[in-house]
Each structure stands twice: as structure tokens, then as C-alpha cells.
Amino acid sequence: MSAKLSNDATYSLHDLKDWSRPGIWLAVLGHPIAHSLSPHMHNSALEELAREDSQYSDWNYIRFDIPIQELPQALDLLHAKKFRGVNLTIPHKVEALPLVDRVDPDAQSIGAINTLWWRESGYVGFNTDGYGMETAIKRNLQTRLWDLPVVLLGAGGAARAAAMQCLIRGCPEIWIGNRSEGRLNELVGDILRNYPESKIHPFLFDSSLVPLPEEALIINATSMGLKQEDSLPMDISCFSEKSVFFDMIYTPPQTVMMRAFGVQGISVCNGLDMLVYQGARALEIWTGLDRVPEDTMRKAALSA
């Protein structure tokens, strides 16, 4: 049995180079990553699984702060040291695509990966974000992805997963906003190549040229809100109280945007349950189990 490490510890590429601890290891990579609740969530689930099956008693989940320029070396080291599974968060979900051996077809169509599974020839990339987001929105906001037009904030890997999941589920129309035009145009182009008949309306946050729907499912897929001093990326006064707002951020539990939308009478939800559902799906991939203890994962994340 391997010695358990603190759920609050954050490791670096330097630590990874010297990694030689026994056991089965799982990890999450991001930058920043110190806010991540994933170690609490996954290790609690693994402890419960270990009570039922001793093979999981030496499984461990930790986090690494890996800047984008260190990602290729980090993934090579993780594979060489046989880390069984890896989660990827901002800013690695798109950049990791060419660095893995194979990509699951659904993740390939999304154009982003957040879950890696160790195989002898290299990591296989999956995307569990779309599943996690859809399940969280349905259970917390009583809204299906095809019930309302979608206004998506952001154009990175998380936004790609959200947009593709919405289109797969038959969302009628999507407005996609971003701060910079280059990445926005790239995302819209990718979507239209996969879904040429879809109704996509790109807009820049500082522009009022594109009218937005009054009633919408608004999804924040940016990192704006991680810091309490962050400001709103755009004017939100156009949205009516019949809209709903889902923020992928879960730390802090109430973001600047959640407060602003809430003041307008709009139902809001943070990304904690998305984290739980996408994490549970990742753990199912790594363990081969049909179901893992979701409730235990949620309680651990909340208590953390």
C-alpha cells in the first residue's frame, strides 16, 4: 500500500521528474491548479471503492501545476512513470490533442480532451466535460440543452466541449462570445466544419453589434470569476429573468457573474456538479467500473 499524500498538496514538473512512489497514480494538470478540488473528490471515491475491493487501496490522485510550455514534457514523464489516468484543465484541453497517442471519436469531434487513460503505446484522450455539464444543468437548473438558445462565453477547450455537446443534443441556436477575435473565429470555423447547418452567431465581449436573445441558457466557459476582483466580461442587462445561467467555475462557489445574474432574478448554478459528473465519468474510464460513488465525490468536494 502506498503512503497517502495530502489532498491540498500541489506538485510541479520538478517533483514529477523525481517521482518514484509505489502505487497506482492519477493526476490533474492545470495552471493555476491550487484551487482544484479534484484530489479531495477522487481520493474519497477511491477510499470507498477500496473498502469494497482492496485493489483500490493503493490508488492515489494528486495535482500538478504545469504551465503550458511544460505540458509536452509533463505528459511524457507521466506516461513513462505509468500514471494510470490524467485529468486536464485550463489551459491544456486543446493543446494536449497532438500530444496523445489516440483520441476518442467523440472527443475528436469536440476538439478538446480533459481525460487521459494510460495504454502501453501512449495516452488515449477522452472528453467528459460535455456529459458533466449537461447532467449538472439538467439536475440543477431543470433545463435541457435544447430547451433554449445558448449564449456561450469563451472560446477555449471548455467552450468547445460545451458547444459541441449542445449541438449534439439539438440546441437550436448558439451565440458565442469571446474577448479576442482570433480564437473565437477558430472555434466558430471548427464548429461549422462539423455542423455546417448550425446557427452560430459570434460576438466580441466589448461589442454590441450582435443582438443577444432575451431568454437563453447562458454558459460561462471562461476563467473569469476565478478571482473575486474579476469584472463582468460584458453587459448582461439584455437577459430576462426567464434565462438561466451556468458557471463552469466552482471555486469560489458564488462568482461575480453568478451574483450579477442572480440580482436580475435569473436562476444560477456553479460548476461543482459538473466537476463531480465529469470526474465520475473519468474514474469509470480508469477503473473500468460501470458506476463509481458520485455522492461521495460530491460530499468531499463540498466539504473541501
Side-chain angles (χ1 to χ4, degrees), residues 37-55:
L37 302 180
S38 292
H40 295 269
M41 188 174 73
H42 281 277
N43 285 322
S44 293
L46 290 169
E47 287 173 9
E48 181 167 329
L49 291 175
R51 288 192 286 270
E52 302 169 2
D53 187 338
S54 62
Q55 72 165 304

Side-chain angles (χ1 to χ4, degrees), residues 121-182:
S121 59
Y123 279 118
V124 181
F126 297 85
N127 196 305
T128 66
D129 279 336
Y131 166 80
M133 180 195 72
E134 180 178 2
T135 307
I137 289 172
K138 181 178 179 181
R139 296 187 184 182
N140 290 289
L141 295 173
Q142 290 74 54
T143 301
R144 300 168 300 181
L145 298 184
W146 58 90
D147 285 340
L148 292 169
V150 169
V151 176
L152 179 61
L153 310 181
R160 284 172 184 264
M164 295 301 184
Q165 190 75 13
C166 289
L167 290 169
I168 288 169
R169 294 304 190 192
C171 172
E173 214 163 353
I174 303 180
W175 282 255
I176 303 177
N178 198 47
R179 184 168 44 195
S180 61
E181 191 170 8

Side-chain angles (χ1 to χ4, degrees), residues 2-304:
S2 60
K4 299 295 181 181
L5 301 180
S6 169
N7 287 327
D8 294 316
T10 299
Y11 300 93
S12 66
L13 183 66
H14 177 75
D15 298 311
L16 181 56
K17 290 175 181 177
D18 297 327
W19 201 266
S20 59
R21 293 174 179 266
I24 304 295
W25 292 92
L26 310 168
V28 57
L29 310 187
H31 183 69
I33 198 64
H35 66 281
S36 175
L37 302 180
S38 292
H40 295 269
M41 188 174 73
H42 281 277
N43 285 322
S44 293
L46 290 169
E47 287 173 9
E48 181 167 329
L49 291 175
R51 288 192 286 270
E52 302 169 2
D53 187 338
S54 62
Q55 72 165 304
Y56 296 111
S57 61
D58 67 346
W59 285 52
N60 308 267
Y61 188 108
I62 57 176
R63 62 191 179 200
F64 286 94
D65 192 306
I66 303 293
I68 192 66
Q69 67 272 16
E70 295 178 356
L71 182 62
Q73 187 178 5
L75 291 182
D76 285 345
L77 285 168
L78 287 162
H79 187 263
K81 293 175 183 294
K82 297 187 177 180
F83 273 64
R84 177 72 60 89
V86 178
N87 282 138
L88 301 170
T89 186
I90 293 171
H92 300 318
K93 296 182 183 186
V94 176
E95 285 73 7
L97 276 169
L99 303 176
V100 299
D101 181 59
R102 185 162 56 86
V103 178
D104 173 76
D106 287 343
Q108 191 74 61
S109 67
I110 288 171
I113 49 180
N114 77 323
T115 299
L116 308 183
W117 181 37
W118 192 93
R119 311 308 293 154
E120 188 71 40
S121 59
Y123 279 118
V124 181
F126 297 85
N127 196 305
T128 66
D129 279 336
Y131 166 80
M133 180 195 72
E134 180 178 2
T135 307
I137 289 172
K138 181 178 179 181
R139 296 187 184 182
N140 290 289
L141 295 173
Q142 290 74 54
T143 301
R144 300 168 300 181
L145 298 184
W146 58 90
D147 285 340
L148 292 169
V150 169
V151 176
L152 179 61
L153 310 181
R160 284 172 184 264
M164 295 301 184
Q165 190 75 13
C166 289
L167 290 169
I168 288 169
R169 294 304 190 192
C171 172
E173 214 163 353
I174 303 180
W175 282 255
I176 303 177
N178 198 47
R179 184 168 44 195
S180 61
E181 191 170 8
R183 181 169 254 191
L184 175 61
N185 291 339
E186 180 183 348
L187 174 57
V188 171
D190 288 347
I191 291 173
L192 292 176
R193 276 189 288 275
N194 285 279
Y195 295 90
E197 303 302 319
S198 60
K199 296 180 180 178
I200 307 295
H201 310 282
F203 67 95
L204 295 175
F205 289 152
D206 60 0
S207 171
S208 58
L209 298 179
V210 178
L212 301 175
E214 292 184 9
E215 296 179 24
L217 163 59
I218 309 143
I219 301 171
N220 177 35
T222 75
S223 60
M224 283 179 276
L226 278 175
K227 300 175 182 177
Q228 289 288 5
E229 62 268 24
D230 285 348
S231 58
L232 293 178
M234 55 179 283
D235 179 16
I236 64 170
S237 61
C238 63
F239 298 112
S240 77
E241 60 184 17
K242 293 184 180 180
S243 296
V244 294
F245 175 70
F246 178 75
D247 201 327
M248 289 190 180
I249 293 170
Y250 59 88
T251 303
Q254 188 178 56
T255 66
V256 172
M257 277 194 267
M258 288 176 66
R259 285 196 295 273
F261 279 105
V263 166
Q264 291 186 201
I266 292 171
S267 297
V268 302
C269 172
N270 69 21
L272 184 69
D273 272 354
M274 176 180 174
L275 175 75
V276 171
Y277 296 130
Q278 66 81 20
R281 181 70 194 106
L283 194 53
E284 289 167 0
I285 290 170
W286 299 328
T287 61
L289 297 172
D290 292 332
R291 189 168 183 80
V292 296
E294 286 179 358
D295 287 343
T296 297
M297 298 174 83
R298 181 181 295 101
K299 289 174 183 175
L302 283 169
S303 66

